[in-house]
């Protein structure tokens, strides 16, 4: 797979012909491709035959989010995901081990070599057996780092989905990924014959896109605030006199999770700790210094007091006189806190909504004269079904953290209802259902109370920003974040927010979208 300098130049030119994408565009493209590849005709046959289902080759720098988007696609499409890194595979593990079988041809016996099933293909069958999900994505990472002995077999695999003598099961789409050669010394350049069998997507780091993802994932506010001010520090790979220096999206996300745990345990955050995730001396020093300031701002401003309407004029005056970086950090803390509240509220709303159908079925059975113990058996089956579906998706790698919480909470509530019915002192089904409804009504009442609490906290947040900063840049940031964050926008649409509506109209956010975007760019937000 090594080529002359001229051919390497041609290949590089060929690769350069593909438009660069951000990771969000790449995700949408791959998701659409998978949906199309899995589309069937009226007889249940796949519309695009296997030989025409070109595998996708996702080419991008390390830590940019290639694996993360594959998990999201599987979760959103409800299909399975099997991931493998090709760097550790030998020809034997990928194609199978040889063994001798005895065969007879035209009356004569022969010893013939055959091969066991590929470890990779066997893992697909394992997932299908354990999860019950028959369609999925086989994601092969670092495909351009395969060993010398395995490389010749990759052409057959990429076109026909065959490893050795064993084919990838129908309904499984191949997506591959790799790093450009400047990031990995083990990269082997694909020849044109191989490239002609791939759909190639070049992915570049894009902070604005990652920030959207990071907000939904709850990445630490200190990280987002720092990167809002220094977007150039989001992703860097360079060679210095001290060696390779790099910062990746993966590094920031991993650092975020550890920061939260360090805060819970009240462990001091030192440069040596930050340097385990950000391999750039300057950024480590600057982020650690900013994080110390961020913690100071937390103590100085006490976001929880602001959101409960308890804020002194001295605190407002301090915020007015603060540098822009400090005001930006304060806004980040406040917005993050309210959006966490809203996310939890919207999750509870979805839980209550999805509980309606099983409870309606329970009520219908009670109205037909079913006894309390029979209702207990029914609701127990519903709980087990929900739990089994959750376990199935988890085994298939197609369950998000949010959906896991959702399903676990619903199953837990249904199991609690089953227990309540079994312990019921009456055999009457309607009386038993009344006990279940009482439990559900208590959850609804708690949700309504929480909704009013969140609305009040939003009002206090808008009131603080208006009293302190008027309709300046801080209000623009607040209204914009409430508009673009999905759960926040949904909450406002469902329950309203007079403060948001008023300031949205004043800023004319919808009509002035492009103008405001330019203004935000000028502020380097």
């Amino acid at each position: 797979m090594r080529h002359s300098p001229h051919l390497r130049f041609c290949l590089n030119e060929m690769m350069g012909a593909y438009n660069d994408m951000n990771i969000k565009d790449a995700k949408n493209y791959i998701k659409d491709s998978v949906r199309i590849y899995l589309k069937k005709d009226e007889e249940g046959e796949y519309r695009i035959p296997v030989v025409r289902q070109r595998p996708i080759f996702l080419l991008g720098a390390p830590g940019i989010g290639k694996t993360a988007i594959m998990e999201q696609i599987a979760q959103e499409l409800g299909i399975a995901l099997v991931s493998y890194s090709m760097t550790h595979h030998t020809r034997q593990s990928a194609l199978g081990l040889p063994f001798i079988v005895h065969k007879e041809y035209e009356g004569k016996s022969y010893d013939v070599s055959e091969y066991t099933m590929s470890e990779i293909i066997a893992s697909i069958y394992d997932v299908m057996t354990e999860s019950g999900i028959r369609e999925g994505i086989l994601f092969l990472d670092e495909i351009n780092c395969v060993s010398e002995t395995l490389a010749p077999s990759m052409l057959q695999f990429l076109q026909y989905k065959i490893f050795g003598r064993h084919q990838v099961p129908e309904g499984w789409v191949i997506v591959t990924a790799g790093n450009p050669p400047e990031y990995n010394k083990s990269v082997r350049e694909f020849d044109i014959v191989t490239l002609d069998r791939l759909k190639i997507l070049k992915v570049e780091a894009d902070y604005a896109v990652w920030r959207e993802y990071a907000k939904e994932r709850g990445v630490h506010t200190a990280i987002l605030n720092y990167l809002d001010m220094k977007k150039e520090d989001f992703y860097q790979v360079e060679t210095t006199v001290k060696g390779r220096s790099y910062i990746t999206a993966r590094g920031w996300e991993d650092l975020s999770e550890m920061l939260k745990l360090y805060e819970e345990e009240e462990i001091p955050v030192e440069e040596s700790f930050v340097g385990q995730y950000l391999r750039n001396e300057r950024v480590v020093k600057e982020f650690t210094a900013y994080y110390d300031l961020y913690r100071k701002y937390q103590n100085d401003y006490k976001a929880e007091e602001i959101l409960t309407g308890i804020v002194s004029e001295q605190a407002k005056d301090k915020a007015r006189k603060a540098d822009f970086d400090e005001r930006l950090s304060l806004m980040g803390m406040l917005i993050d806190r309210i959006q966490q509240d809203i996310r939890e509220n919207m999750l509870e709303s979805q839980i209550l909504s999805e509980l309606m159908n099983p409870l309606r079925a329970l009520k219908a059975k009670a109205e037909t004269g079913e006894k309390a113990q029979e209702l207990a058996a029914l609701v127990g089956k519903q709980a087990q079904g929900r739990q089994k579906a959750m376990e199935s998706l988890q085994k298939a790698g197609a369950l998000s953290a949010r959906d896991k919480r959702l399903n676990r909470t619903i199953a837990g509530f249904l199991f609690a209802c089953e227990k309540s019915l079994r312990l019921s002192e009456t055999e009457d089904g309607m009386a038993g259902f009344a006990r279940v409804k009482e439990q559900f009504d208590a959850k609804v009442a708690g949700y309504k109370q929480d909704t009013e609490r969140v609305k009040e906290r939003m009002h206090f947040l808008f009131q603080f920003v208006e009293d302190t900063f008027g309709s300046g840049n801080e209000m623009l940031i607040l209204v914009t974040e409430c508009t673009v964050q999905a759960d926040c926008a949904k909450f406002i649409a469902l329950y309203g927010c007079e403060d948001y509506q008023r300031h949205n109209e004043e800023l004319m956010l919808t009509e002035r979208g492009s103008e405001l975007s330019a203004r935000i760019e000028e502020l380097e937000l």
Side-chain angles (χ1 to χ4, degrees):
M1 278 189 163
R2 296 292 177 186
H3 305 292
S4 69
H6 175 69
L7 181 52
R8 282 202 300 272
F9 173 78
C10 292
L11 289 173
N12 290 335
E13 287 294 299
M14 182 177 177
M15 295 295 288
Y18 295 92
N19 293 329
D20 291 345
M21 290 184 174
N22 60 50
I23 198 72
K24 183 178 180 180
D25 290 340
K27 174 192 167 181
N28 291 334
Y29 182 88
I30 295 170
K31 186 177 176 180
D32 288 341
S33 295
V34 171
R35 285 175 53 252
I36 295 298
Y37 284 167
L38 296 180
K39 196 173 180 66
K40 297 179 180 179
D41 60 22
E42 294 176 356
E43 281 97 37
E45 299 291 330
Y46 289 102
R47 296 275 296 274
I48 301 178
V50 169
V51 71
R52 298 296 176 209
Q53 291 184 12
R54 286 195 175 197
I56 296 164
F57 180 42
L58 196 58
L59 184 69
I64 203 172
K66 299 187 290 292
T67 304
I69 64 167
M70 300 316 305
E71 294 171 353
Q72 293 166 29
I73 291 167
Q75 291 160 10
E76 291 169 18
L77 294 179
I79 59 178
L81 175 68
V82 171
S83 298
Y84 264 94
S85 173
M86 296 304 293
T87 51
H88 77 281
H89 275 291
T90 62
R91 186 175 186 277
Q92 288 74 23
S93 63
L95 302 183
L97 293 170
F99 64 94
I100 304 299
V101 296
H102 301 286
K103 292 191 176 183
E104 188 173 297
Y105 300 107
E106 299 181 348
K108 293 184 179 181
S109 295
Y110 297 90
D111 290 336
V112 180
S113 295
E114 290 200 3
Y115 287 84
T116 58
M117 182 177 282
S118 160
E119 174 190 325
I120 296 172
I121 295 180
S123 67
I124 295 175
Y125 283 106
D126 287 340
V127 166
M128 289 196 298
T129 301
E130 292 174 4
S131 70
I133 297 175
R134 310 297 297 177
E135 295 181 327
I137 298 170
L138 174 59
F139 178 57
L140 302 180
D141 199 7
E142 300 183 281
I143 191 81
N144 53 352
C145 294
V146 295
S147 66
E148 188 84 31
T149 56
L150 184 56
S153 303
M154 291 311 300
L155 185 62
Q156 180 191 35
F157 170 74
L158 292 173
Q159 183 161 13
Y160 297 106
K161 296 185 180 179
I162 293 173
F163 267 135
R165 296 187 62 179
H166 301 280
Q167 189 166 29
V168 173
E170 269 197 323
W172 282 75
V173 177
I174 309 299
V175 181
T176 68
N179 300 323
E182 60 265 30
Y183 298 108
N184 192 331
K185 293 179 180 178
S186 303
V187 164
R188 304 173 59 81
E189 295 162 335
F190 285 144
D191 54 33
I192 292 176
V193 176
T194 305
L195 290 172
D196 192 41
R197 283 159 172 78
L198 296 169
K199 295 169 74 170
I200 303 167
L201 308 181
K202 291 181 68 179
V203 185
E204 298 289 340
D206 186 321
Y207 174 62
V209 169
W210 182 81
R211 188 183 192 279
E212 184 180 328
Y213 158 84
K215 289 287 287 185
E216 296 298 327
R217 288 290 295 243
V219 168
H220 200 292
T221 312
I223 289 175
L224 295 180
N225 285 351
Y226 174 82
L227 291 175
D228 283 344
M229 294 181 287
K230 298 192 175 187
K231 291 191 286 292
E232 68 277 7
D233 290 347
F234 167 58
Y235 199 101
Q236 291 185 17
V237 178
E238 58 187 10
T239 303
T240 69
V241 291
K242 295 182 179 180
R244 299 283 280 184
S245 168
Y246 55 89
I247 308 167
T248 67
R250 182 194 296 125
W252 284 114
E253 191 169 357
D254 290 347
L255 175 61
S256 168
E257 294 303 308
M258 289 300 293
L259 280 176
K260 293 174 185 177
L261 293 173
Y262 264 51
E263 289 173 3
E264 285 180 21
E265 298 297 322
E266 298 183 350
I267 301 173
V269 172
E270 307 288 349
E271 284 185 13
S272 56
F273 160 73
V274 175
Q276 294 168 13
Y277 300 92
L278 312 178
R279 310 297 293 182
N280 180 294
E281 191 174 315
R282 176 189 63 79
V283 176
V284 166
K285 288 182 179 297
E286 292 183 6
F287 175 75
T288 306
Y290 172 76
Y291 179 77
D292 290 340
L293 274 177
Y294 173 85
R295 296 289 284 174
K296 179 180 180 297
Y297 300 153
Q298 281 185 317
N299 292 327
D300 288 350
Y301 289 106
K302 296 180 176 54
E304 190 59 31
E305 292 184 2
I306 292 173
L307 294 176
T308 51
I310 306 169
V311 55
S312 65
E313 285 301 322
Q314 289 86 347
K316 293 178 185 177
D317 191 53
K318 175 179 170 56
R320 290 187 197 103
K321 295 176 180 177
D323 292 337
F324 181 70
D325 289 359
E326 184 172 335
R327 284 182 275 131
L328 183 63
S329 297
L330 172 60
M331 290 303 302
M333 285 187 286
L334 294 170
I335 291 169
D336 181 64
R337 189 71 65 90
I338 199 68
Q339 288 182 344
Q340 284 179 20
D341 290 342
I342 290 172
R343 269 193 293 268
E344 291 297 316
N345 184 271
M346 288 290 94
L347 179 62
E348 184 66 16
S349 172
Q350 189 177 353
I351 289 167
L352 292 173
S353 177
E354 294 200 21
L355 278 170
M356 292 296 290
N357 282 337
L359 294 185
R360 285 194 187 106
L362 202 65
K363 182 183 180 184
K365 288 291 184 182
E367 289 174 340
T368 61
E370 297 278 4
K371 302 297 184 185
Q373 295 305 311
E374 293 166 333
L375 295 182
L378 173 61
V379 78
K381 285 181 181 178
Q382 291 172 334
Q384 290 167 10
R386 175 72 67 161
Q387 190 168 44
K388 186 176 180 181
M390 178 177 67
E391 290 170 354
S392 173
L393 289 169
Q394 194 163 6
K395 288 173 181 175
L399 188 68
S400 67
R402 181 187 175 106
D403 285 342
K404 186 176 182 179
R405 279 189 63 193
L406 173 78
N407 285 283
R408 184 176 285 170
T409 304
I410 292 172
F413 179 82
L414 294 175
F415 278 126
C417 290
E418 179 193 18
K419 182 178 180 181
S420 177
L421 286 165
R422 291 200 185 281
L423 295 176
S424 176
E425 296 176 357
T426 177
E427 291 187 2
D428 181 66
M430 286 304 295
F433 175 73
R435 293 186 65 177
V436 171
K437 186 175 184 301
E438 188 178 326
Q439 291 174 261
F440 180 74
D441 288 345
K443 281 184 74 68
V444 172
Y447 170 70
K448 288 180 178 178
Q449 187 176 5
D450 182 68
T451 299
E452 291 303 316
R453 182 187 70 88
V454 174
K455 287 175 67 178
E456 184 178 53
R457 287 163 71 83
M458 282 193 73
H459 168 67
F460 285 134
L461 173 55
F462 272 95
Q463 188 176 62
F464 170 77
V465 175
E466 184 176 345
D467 291 348
T468 308
F469 306 113
S471 296
N473 294 325
E474 293 76 14
M475 184 62 75
L476 170 64
I477 293 168
L478 175 57
V479 173
T480 302
E481 289 288 350
C482 288
T483 303
V484 300
Q485 207 279 326
D487 281 330
C488 200
K490 185 177 180 180
F491 183 90
I492 293 171
L494 284 172
Y495 304 112
C497 176
E498 292 182 6
D499 300 289
Y500 168 82
Q501 298 296 348
R502 178 162 47 85
H503 287 289
N504 188 32
E505 289 172 7
E506 287 176 1
L507 292 166
M508 293 184 294
L509 193 61
T510 305
E511 294 80 357
R512 295 171 55 213
S514 57
E515 179 188 336
L516 291 174
S517 296
R519 186 172 162 193
I520 289 171
E521 280 297 317
E522 289 174 6
L523 295 169
E524 296 187 351
L525 298 181

